[in-house]
Amino acid sequence: MRSRKGRVTRVLTLTAGLLGGAVAALVLACLMATWIITLVVEARYPPAGRRVTVESGHLAVIEAGPGEGAPSRGTVVLLHGASANAMDPMLAIGRRLAGDGFRVLSFDRPGFGYSDRIAPDAASPAVQARLIAEALAAMKIGPALIVGHSWSGALATALALDHPERVAGLALLAPVSHPWPGGDVGGYAGWYRSLPGRILLRIATYTVAAPLGYAYLDRFAEVVFRPQGLPEGYLDGARVPLILRPSTFGANLRDLDGLYGFLQQQSPRYPTITAPTVIVAGDVDPVVKTEIHARALAREVPGAKLVVLPGVGHMLQYVAADRVVAEIEALAARERAE
């Protein structure tokens, strides 16, 4: 009897050891895969612009159009959404605006692309607005047209509210602007905010996130472009794989997690925005609901113009680039007239 129990104990111990070894080997393999993917991604997509010094770090910016001091139709600052980088809006509309005579600056938001995360509280759009305003001041950029897509709807409006001297006008594309139903996860759904949840997410960020993301990145992008299709060459042209690096992936998660609470505080201030504003959104946006955000924002910002594009989804700067560029140019003309 003792011999049988001893054999069972040895078998269980051996099984547990094998399982533990297999898990350790899998974690190690994922860590190695993440490291390799990071190296490959950064080699394929090196810095494309310059870095501007701000307090405690640097912000990366891609520039196009007339240079500093050259005649131009004005300066346009492009601010990308979640899971993106400065090349995304530059590819969509930035180069076209530059060709039309505008000086175009597209920033990597803090922690994205090749910008430093800089501040421990950089998930806040208000903190990112302060850093971008500081970068614009360092570049001697006066009031500029600020174009914010999706997540950066909150950032662009924070710039207009907190740093109005840097904002000549706002062009908000499918902007996130208001708290949305179910956005405050709370309760059991907020498990990831607990200590065990944060630990598990951190482990996932440095192990499985990059390999899984690399394998399914095109499918994730297709969802964002619905109901339109994914443009050929988008992932490579917009340098989307940069989001897979652990530091950037983690920054993206923190930005998204804190957005709802931030908008609860900021949204009552929209009636005090004084910058000329145009809001462009698609009526079938599956990501940022136009009724909750764009329409509500247009009602609250004094004098705001709302353009709702029928049959268009979230990535309107790509699928409706002609209309978006036309609205930005009209905003520039309106600002000059005023």
Side-chain angles (χ1 to χ4, degrees), residues 86-102:
M87 190 60 77
D88 187 290
M90 182 62 81
L91 176 68
I93 57 174
R95 290 170 180 157
R96 178 165 170 179
L97 288 165
D100 290 344
F102 290 92

Side-chain angles (χ1 to χ4, degrees), residues 151-168:
W151 191 97
S152 279
L155 170 55
T157 46
L159 265 170
L161 288 164
D162 297 340
H163 309 277
E165 73 284 358
R166 297 292 160 199
V167 181

Side-chain angles (χ1 to χ4, degrees), residues 155-300:
L155 170 55
T157 46
L159 265 170
L161 288 164
D162 297 340
H163 309 277
E165 73 284 358
R166 297 292 160 199
V167 181
L170 289 176
L172 307 173
L173 313 179
V176 175
S177 59
H178 289 75
W180 58 95
D184 186 12
V185 293
Y188 296 108
W191 66 270
Y192 63 86
R193 292 178 179 167
S194 65
L195 180 59
R198 291 198 301 272
I199 292 173
L200 286 174
L201 273 180
R202 189 162 183 82
I203 291 172
T205 297
Y206 283 87
T207 55
V208 299
L212 288 177
Y214 198 81
Y216 294 100
L217 202 55
D218 56 341
R219 300 185 191 182
F220 296 147
E222 286 172 357
V223 171
V224 178
F225 271 87
R226 289 176 184 169
Q228 283 73 41
L230 184 67
E232 184 177 354
Y234 167 73
L235 293 179
D236 193 51
R239 301 156 66 95
V240 176
L242 285 171
I243 191 64
L244 300 175
R245 299 170 302 171
S247 61
T248 307
F249 190 87
N252 194 49
L253 289 178
R254 290 188 290 275
D255 283 8
L256 292 170
D257 180 49
L259 185 57
Y260 182 93
F262 175 80
L263 292 173
Q264 285 182 307
Q265 300 298 315
Q266 176 170 275
S267 54
R269 300 174 61 197
Y270 293 144
T272 66
I273 290 177
T274 58
T277 301
V278 61
I279 303 162
V280 189
D283 70 345
V284 289
D285 188 335
V287 179
V288 177
K289 301 299 183 182
T290 296
E291 191 64 37
I292 295 171
H293 300 278
R295 290 190 187 277
L297 187 61
R299 289 191 295 267
E300 295 167 10

